[in-house]
Amino acid sequence: MANPNAGRRLLPLLSTPHKGGRSALTCQFRCGNACAHDVANTTGNAYFGDVVKEAVSRRGVLRAGALGALVAGAGVAGAMPALADEPAAAGAEARNGGGDIRFTAVPPNKDDALRIPDGYSSSVVVRWGDPVLPDAPAFDFDNQSADAQNKQFGYNCDYVTVLPLGRDRALMWVNHEYTDESLMFRGYTGGAAATEEQIKIALAAHGGSVVEIERAGRTGEWKLVTKGRRRYNRRVTAQTTMKFSGPAAGHDLLKTAADPQGRTPVGMLNNCSGGTTPWATVLTAEENFDQYFVNGDKVPDAQKPYISRYTITTGTPSSSRRFDRVEERFDLAKHPNEANRFGWIVEIDPFDPDGTPIKRTALGRFKHEAATTTLARDGRLVVYMGDDSRFEYIYKFVSKNRYIPGFDRHNRALLDEGTLYVAKFTGDSPAAEIDGSGKLPSDGLFDGSGEWIPLVSGDKSYVDGMTAAEVLVYTRTAADKVGATKMDRPEDMERNPVTGGVYVALTNNTNRTAAQVDEANPRPSNKHGHVLEIVERRDDAGERTFAWSLPLVCGDPADPGTYFAGYDKTKVSPISCPDNVTFDRDGNLWISTDGNQLGSNDGMFVMPVRGKERGHLRQFLTVPVGAETCGPLVSQDQLSVFVAVQHPGETDGATPDNPSSHWPDGDQPRPSVAVVWHGKGKKVGA
Ligand code: FEO
Ligand code: CA
Ligand code: CA
């Protein structure tokens, strides 16, 4: 095939400009050098400080478990239904988000190891390349093939959820966010020099996996099932046939030569975090999809403002992976709508290995990070979602109809009909007191009020100049127009099952200037990020207004511009770049980080959010050199913590011939999901 971009691709791999502490490899392969691009949001609206305005049966076991989480009062997100329904051993305060956390914190380190507290054990559940389908070959680093990768566990694991098949057996879903070809293949230089087989392997290493796991003994250890039929095991890739549903399905903007009806997209890309529905399906979030396309400069002029809003460059080609050399659809000069078919929330049923994944258009299109589900007081389904780029927005979807336990067909349709909202935040302190130092304002808190602004509801658009379908396909532009608040990279969101508060990880934003700080994003050049709590009116996820505050302003606790919910900062762990959040059943907040800027490896932390221990943040584990910590999941029985160790060894200059990590097996680094448990079978953290 002719190479229209010969000589114009990004070269060389290791000299790509990147900001912050991330390795150049991470910047290039994970988010297509997003930090090197101009900020995509050039609207003048809403750094809100500038705005003076108002502010199993289908699996009986599983069904019961998911429902149990709902009855408990809040999120089903990360709802790992009770694997063993052990009553919480701690006192009332501990069961109330109030602590009973007793391990000794893991100190910051740069070790090439998974470090866990004394008295705990860990093991690897599944690695990149492990057989998923029963006929998959064993992994062989130097003899990879696309055929093998299509049957093996994919690369860079992210969102993890676990759904029981019984007391001691479960299905685990894992996202495969992106590939790092320079660590996957010896001598890889990218672009036109990549072999077609390498490109096909990369396509197959994206997507997600369903694997059966089983409990090992009576502890919290879980292992991959490696023998027998494993009827649910499945690979979903960048080449899996999917379908669109919801109001934008079939719209002209989604039609291509290969799909003139605009209803059957192929594949999913860059699936980062996600969520689990009350009916036990997975919602997986397509994030940095822009980097896979070439020739954005050749789309019709009318489309250019919309695609550049997603950082698809309308100048030089953006992709070094050159998927277009294997599949022409990735060339936007020939198929300008193909990029519109990515950036969605995809629903996948892990219990139906032949089921078609569904891209749910009612949930909008952006660089989706999470899709956390809960129920409004009246039973409507609510989905919270972040758009992870600098100065992007926080969204929620509220279904039109109510969830009916056990009525699957009805419940799935909830995701196709409802209202998509975007968040606007207002501070309650004088602007002069938000001075950029991180110093708390005189009322003692970065806090205020907010509202969810409607964007679209079915065929009705609330955005001037945009149709409903345009709002769904070009959601970022729609949110610009209604004055949403520009945030510091909204990543994962989770609802506390005990308190009902919705927590948002705001990873960092080194581009925010002193003139752009506001009470919800109070630090310029925000290297370390912060955590936001949203408390909706009446604790009702269906409400349109909320109060908010920042319980955690991250960094070195010795830095006066940090805040740990008022706790004694001499007793907390340093934390930088919160990315994913989850809760244990007692309501304690667990946080994983991506891109530590304090000189340590990334880690996972736990922090009580109520009582005397509120703000007592402690590091529970650290991941190996070059890795980020993803997909944290605390099992409902609180015996197991699952952690996705993404991109171990992804450091500047590392290659297969000169690896910077040998985790987990002493050989080439392999992204893997690990499980951590207390050696004496106690609750984790307690
Ligand atoms: Fe894939 Fe926003 O982290
Ligand atoms: Ca305040
Ligand atoms: Ca993430």
Side-chain angles (χ1 to χ4, degrees), residues 288-367:
N288 295 301
F289 62 90
D290 52 302
Q291 60 184 298
Y292 300 94
F293 298 93
V294 298
N295 287 334
D297 55 328
K298 300 199 176 65
V299 304
D301 283 346
Q303 275 203 34
K304 285 183 181 172
Y306 294 109
I307 73 164
S308 65
R309 188 66 185 78
Y310 291 90
T311 57
I312 293 174
T313 176
T314 52
T316 51
S318 57
S319 175
S320 68
R321 286 192 181 84
R322 295 303 310 276
F323 283 178
D324 61 299
R325 290 179 49 220
V326 166
E327 293 200 35
E328 187 187 89
R329 64 191 171 109
F330 292 104
D331 183 348
L332 297 179
K334 295 171 179 157
H335 305 284
N337 281 349
E338 184 65 16
N340 294 341
R341 293 148 68 87
F342 295 87
W344 300 99
I345 294 292
V346 187
E347 184 181 22
I348 294 175
D349 184 354
F351 292 93
D352 181 4
D354 301 317
T356 303
I358 304 171
K359 295 197 175 187
R360 298 286 187 184
T361 66
L363 276 56
R365 175 172 168 267
F366 39 94
K367 294 192 180 182

Side-chain angles (χ1 to χ4, degrees), residues 30-31 158 177-178 270-273 285 287-288 367-370 387-389 489-492 507 579-580 594 628 630 646:
R30 196 258 296 287
C31 52
D158 203 298
E177 183 175 9
Y178 72 100
N270 216 267
N271 292 72
C272 190
S273 191
E287 193 189 9
N288 295 301
K367 294 192 180 182
H368 279 286
E369 175 81 18
D387 181 349
D388 177 15
S389 295
R489 290 189 56 196
E491 296 230 38
D492 202 1
T507 292
D579 183 338
N580 296 114
D594 171 19
E628 76 171 271
C630 297
Q646 191 183 105

Side-chain angles (χ1 to χ4, degrees), residues 116-158:
I116 55 177
D118 289 344
Y120 283 76
S121 300
S122 71
S123 65
V124 172
V125 182
V126 58
R127 301 157 173 77
W128 168 47
D130 280 348
V132 171
L133 302 187
D135 63 340
F139 181 65
D140 181 345
F141 183 85
D142 284 306
N143 291 287
Q144 297 177 55
S145 71
D147 184 52
Q149 181 64 81
N150 271 302
K151 300 171 180 174
Q152 296 167 332
F153 196 68
Y155 206 73
N156 276 340
C157 33
D158 203 298

Side-chain angles (χ1 to χ4, degrees), residues 94-114:
R95 288 194 302 272
N96 213 14
D100 196 36
I101 303 294
R102 291 172 193 260
F103 66 91
T104 301
V106 172
N109 65 78
K110 294 290 285 179
D111 299 343
D112 187 30
L114 183 68

Side-chain angles (χ1 to χ4, degrees), residues 369 388 394 488-494 503-508 529-532 577-581 591-592:
E369 175 81 18
D388 177 15
I394 295 170
D488 285 351
R489 290 189 56 196
E491 296 230 38
D492 202 1
M493 300 179 70
E494 287 289 337
Y503 285 68
V504 188
L506 296 153
T507 292
N508 57 46
H530 50 282
V531 172
L532 169 78
C577 302
D579 183 338
N580 296 114
V581 285
I591 304 168
S592 63

